[in-house]
Amino acid sequence: MEAILEVDGMSCMHCVNKVTKVISGFKSAKDVQVDLDKKEAKFSFDEGKEKLDDIIGAVKKAGFEAKKK
């Protein structure tokens, strides 16, 4: 499944790298692209292995606001 999250709270490339690392930490997450200007994260993942709510929760735990776009 492809997902796009709206991510608020990113202000620099360090933030982009942190969000990328958090999402990439999920085993089935692939092709993670985080865009600072659009304030979004695009990626694909296997719904049979991961839940989107868990990924959103991990991004929030890292200090950012996130929701499905």
Side-chain angles (χ1 to χ4, degrees):
M1 173 182 178
E2 183 165 296
I4 301 174
L5 301 182
E6 184 178 319
V7 183
D8 285 323
M10 296 188 298
S11 60
C12 63
M13 288 308 295
H14 175 73
C15 297
V16 169
N17 292 337
K18 189 170 183 180
V19 172
T20 302
K21 185 176 179 180
V22 167
I23 296 171
S24 296
F26 286 84
K27 290 181 181 181
S28 74
K30 296 190 182 347
D31 304 319
V32 180
Q33 300 171 9
V34 180
D35 189 308
L36 179 61
D37 293 329
K38 291 182 180 178
K39 295 184 179 183
E40 70 179 26
K42 286 174 135 178
F43 57 95
S44 59
F45 70 104
D46 183 344
E47 284 185 292
K49 295 182 179 179
E50 251 94 50
K51 293 181 182 175
L52 185 57
D53 287 345
D54 291 341
I55 297 171
I56 290 171
V59 173
K60 287 181 176 182
K61 189 175 179 182
F64 303 95
E65 286 300 315
K67 62 183 178 182
K68 188 175 177 183
K69 197 167 186 181

